[in-house]
Amino acid sequence: MDNQNKNMIHYKPDLMANKYYILDTTVGYDHTADVEAMNGRQGDNMRSIPISFTDDGQPHDLTDTKITLKVLDASGVVKVSDKIVNLVDPKAGLVIFGVPDQVYEAVGQVQRAYFVLEDKMLDGTKQTISTVNVSFRVLENGIDITKAQSTIYISALDRVIGGTEPIVTTSGNNHLTGQNIIDNLTIKNLVNDEVEAIKSNLDQATANITTNTQSIAKNTTAIDDLNRDLKTVQATASAATNNVQAQAGSVSNLSVGLSNITDSLADTNSDVDSLSTAIKSVARSDAYSQLSESASSIAFKLSDLQASTATLSHNLSVTSSTVDDASATASTAKLNALTASTEAHRAYVGLSGMVENLGHIDGTSATVDQVINDIKTAWWDARNV
């Protein structure tokens, strides 16, 4: 709320020790303290204003406090100052504040003004609070030449600008050049140096981007190669799976075939046993005895072959997925079958030669012929394994 607002309540602040204007941080925003000591004329500079800062009547500790006066003057221009003439008693909140001449440029009552207290807390954070509004007037000089127009003023910025003047204007050795060539220092040179520095940084950044781009391209190529390798491995694995499945089918078929052979050999074994019994009952000659022993030998061999092929059939059914092991076992079975084939052929020849000698005996010729035919069948089956 501006000081000119009709709803603003103006009051004269009490004095501390008949000297310090008491400005409290808890007074409402609709009150403004008329501080007569702040009234001034155009051209006045560093008017000393004794102030007692309080918080609801209690002294405000100014030990680690920055005090700033903020003003919106009669012409609506911002003024900010933090100039302290004397920090009288920080614990008691007593200070002598200096108002610079920039605040006294525009004639009339200031539109708005107040002090800001920025306290540094124990944990390093900052607390910022403002005081009650203050009001004062600026009178026209009328004699001395003053600025025709009020300008923005910020004391902190003014100090920065003022601090650069000795660097640029002082001749002789200085921290910028170390030589007596400060007069050659110009804004153009400073700008050119900055441009060159920016250009150098830009060139370095461009080089880094190029390097990163190349690295990304290499990584992309490596990823593409890896994808191709993975696809090749996948195709190989798929083909291997198909081959294994095909071999498994072949092994399964082989298992069925060997089962059939086993059944045939079992029948042959039974017939050979019958032959042996028949021959023993017909005659007791040495030739018949030799034939009986031969037939018994065949029976034992065929029995072993039957057991071997039965074991193979079982193993092939259980381990059909292990093609190599099944193939090795099948090879062994084939060798045994060939051996049985040879023995069966030998028995077949011998028995064929004895048909004539046995033909005159009633009831035996048909039995012998049947056995010989069964042995012949088993022999052909064994050869075809």
Side-chain angles (χ1 to χ4, degrees), residues 146-362:
T146 59
K147 290 184 179 179
Q149 185 176 3
S150 177
T151 57
I152 296 175
Y153 170 75
I154 301 175
S155 60
L157 180 59
D158 188 63
R159 284 195 299 272
V160 173
I161 296 175
T164 62
E165 291 179 355
I167 298 176
V168 179
T169 59
T170 303
S171 60
N173 291 335
N174 56 83
H175 67 278
L176 285 179
T177 64
Q179 301 175 358
N180 297 327
I181 56 173
I182 192 63
D183 292 337
N184 294 327
L185 183 61
T186 64
I187 297 298
K188 181 179 179 180
N189 292 336
L190 292 174
V191 172
N192 288 339
D193 290 342
E194 291 295 330
V195 170
E196 289 299 326
I198 293 174
K199 182 180 178 182
S200 176
N201 292 335
L202 181 60
D203 292 341
Q204 183 62 45
T206 303
N208 292 338
I209 292 174
T210 301
T211 301
N212 292 337
T213 302
Q214 293 173 350
S215 177
I216 292 173
K218 291 180 180 179
N219 291 335
T220 301
T221 301
I223 291 173
D224 291 340
D225 293 341
L226 179 59
N227 285 335
R228 284 194 295 271
D229 293 341
L230 288 176
K231 290 180 180 179
T232 300
V233 172
Q234 183 179 6
T236 302
S238 179
T241 300
N242 294 334
N243 292 335
V244 170
Q245 291 176 348
Q247 292 297 332
S250 298
V251 171
S252 179
N253 294 333
L254 178 61
S255 177
V256 174
L258 289 175
S259 295
N260 295 334
I261 292 174
T262 300
D263 294 338
S264 179
L265 291 176
D267 294 338
T268 302
N269 183 38
S270 177
D271 291 340
V272 170
D273 286 339
S274 299
L275 173 64
S276 179
T277 302
I279 291 175
K280 287 180 180 180
S281 65
V282 172
R284 300 295 180 180
S285 66
D286 291 337
Y288 293 159
S289 176
Q290 183 177 2
L291 177 61
S292 176
E293 291 176 358
S294 177
S296 297
S297 176
I298 292 173
F300 284 122
K301 290 181 179 297
L302 292 177
S303 178
D304 291 340
L305 179 60
Q306 177 186 356
S308 177
T309 54
T311 301
L312 174 61
S313 177
H314 174 71
N315 291 337
L316 288 174
S317 298
V318 176
T319 62
S320 61
S321 61
T322 311
V323 178
D324 292 340
D325 292 343
S327 176
T329 305
S331 297
T332 302
K334 185 174 182 179
L335 291 175
N336 291 336
L338 289 175
T339 301
S341 173
T342 301
E343 295 294 335
H345 179 66
R346 186 178 301 167
Y348 165 72
V349 173
L351 291 174
S352 296
M354 295 181 64
V355 170
E356 294 179 358
N357 295 329
L358 297 174
H360 65 279
I361 302 176
D362 294 334

Side-chain angles (χ1 to χ4, degrees), residues 1-5 7-9 29-30 111-112 133:
M1 187 181 297
D2 292 341
N3 290 327
Q4 292 87 349
N5 192 299
N7 293 324
M8 181 69 73
I9 302 174
Y29 69 93
D30 57 346
Q111 297 183 30
R112 188 179 306 134
N133 297 315

Side-chain angles (χ1 to χ4, degrees), residues 45-63:
N45 185 35
M46 294 306 293
R47 291 183 64 89
S48 296
I49 314 299
I51 302 173
S52 171
F53 290 106
T54 61
D55 300 317
D56 196 16
Q58 299 300 315
H60 186 100
D61 189 350
L62 302 175
T63 302

